[in-house]
Amino acid sequence: MNDRTCIVTRKTAEPDELIRFVVSPDGVVVPDLKRKLPGRGCWVTADRLHVDKAAGKNLFARVFKKGVTLPPDLGAMVDSLLAKSALGALGLARKAGAVALGATKVESAVRSGRALLVLHAEEAAADGLRKITQARRATAYAGGPETYAYKLFSEADLSLALGATNVIHAAVLADDAGRAAEKRMVALDRYRGGSSEDRAMFAAIADEDDAAEDME
């Protein structure tokens, strides 16, 4: 089997689209998010659905060809590790000056094209969401970047990671630290099922642009 073949789908993919697992010396299946742990590994498509399937069907024992022990809820364990990694990267981005806080600053970062992504706390009110969504849509219509928004964490989690209070809206800005945080937010979002509403919104904008070009 190819080193990067999902044990559930049997399809090959790029490393960022998969999660590597290894077996610890005491026979426990361990997620290797950084892909650096020693020993033979296996790969699973990087979303909760496929990790749960691999665990539920005991595919790890089959691929490692020996009895292994699974954590009580491997899917939740991976989610927790991805969230911890994302919040850690967000904190580093904040220290590097690559995070804007507050609805007004987030909207400004989006309209200027400096925002890589937007984060909304789970408690975010509809009014704040609407204004920032309008800014994201208007920027894309004007030919600017497609700025995706994620609702992955609570206000408490964002505030703790960013060393602030009452963080409801934040924008990760385009520099090296920001891109490192972006990569981890995208991975966590993908694991939890993806931002389907944003994809639909930007696809509709692209379709309208194509239609306008055809009419010229």
Side-chain angles (χ1 to χ4, degrees):
M1 185 175 64
N2 185 288
D3 284 346
R4 291 198 300 271
T5 297
C6 173
I7 63 174
V8 178
T9 66
R10 313 299 292 181
K11 297 179 179 179
T12 60
E14 294 300 315
D16 285 346
E17 298 172 351
L18 299 162
I19 296 173
R20 184 176 186 261
F21 292 85
V22 298
V23 178
S24 69
D26 55 354
V28 178
V29 173
V30 177
D32 178 20
L33 300 185
K34 294 182 179 180
R35 303 187 287 271
K36 292 182 178 180
L37 293 178
R40 181 190 177 204
C42 70
W43 301 81
V44 179
T45 299
D47 61 46
R48 177 71 180 265
L49 174 66
H50 288 90
V51 172
D52 285 345
K53 282 186 176 180
K57 295 182 177 180
N58 201 26
L59 297 183
F60 293 104
R62 186 182 306 172
V63 74
F64 286 117
K65 299 180 180 178
K66 63 180 180 181
V68 297
T69 301
L70 293 177
D73 191 338
L74 185 62
M77 177 184 179
V78 173
D79 185 284
S80 179
L81 291 172
L82 287 170
K84 181 179 179 180
S85 175
L87 287 170
L90 184 61
L92 292 175
R94 169 67 165 166
K95 291 178 180 178
V99 176
L101 299 180
T104 300
K105 291 183 178 179
V106 169
E107 182 179 346
S108 176
V110 169
R111 291 187 182 278
S112 69
R114 296 185 301 118
L116 288 174
L117 61 91
V118 169
L119 293 171
H120 299 300
E122 294 168 349
E123 300 89 343
D127 184 55
L129 292 173
R130 181 171 58 254
K131 290 180 179 179
I132 294 172
T133 299
Q134 289 172 347
R136 293 165 50 227
R137 182 181 290 114
T139 301
Y141 267 123
E146 297 177 354
T147 309
Y148 279 71
Y150 302 96
K151 190 183 286 188
L152 300 170
F153 305 107
S154 67
E155 174 191 340
D157 287 335
L158 289 175
S159 298
L160 182 62
L162 293 169
T165 57
N166 303 319
V167 177
I168 300 296
H169 307 287
V172 176
L173 308 181
D175 73 1
D176 289 345
R179 291 185 179 88
E182 177 190 33
K183 182 177 180 179
R184 287 161 177 78
M185 297 299 167
V186 169
L188 178 59
D189 179 65
R190 179 174 55 221
Y191 186 76
R192 293 180 176 177
S195 302
S196 57
E197 291 183 4
D198 275 5
R199 286 197 295 271
M201 179 179 75
F202 291 129
I205 292 172
D207 288 343
E208 290 181 20
D209 287 344
D210 290 342
E213 290 179 2
D214 291 341
M215 294 177 63
E216 292 178 355

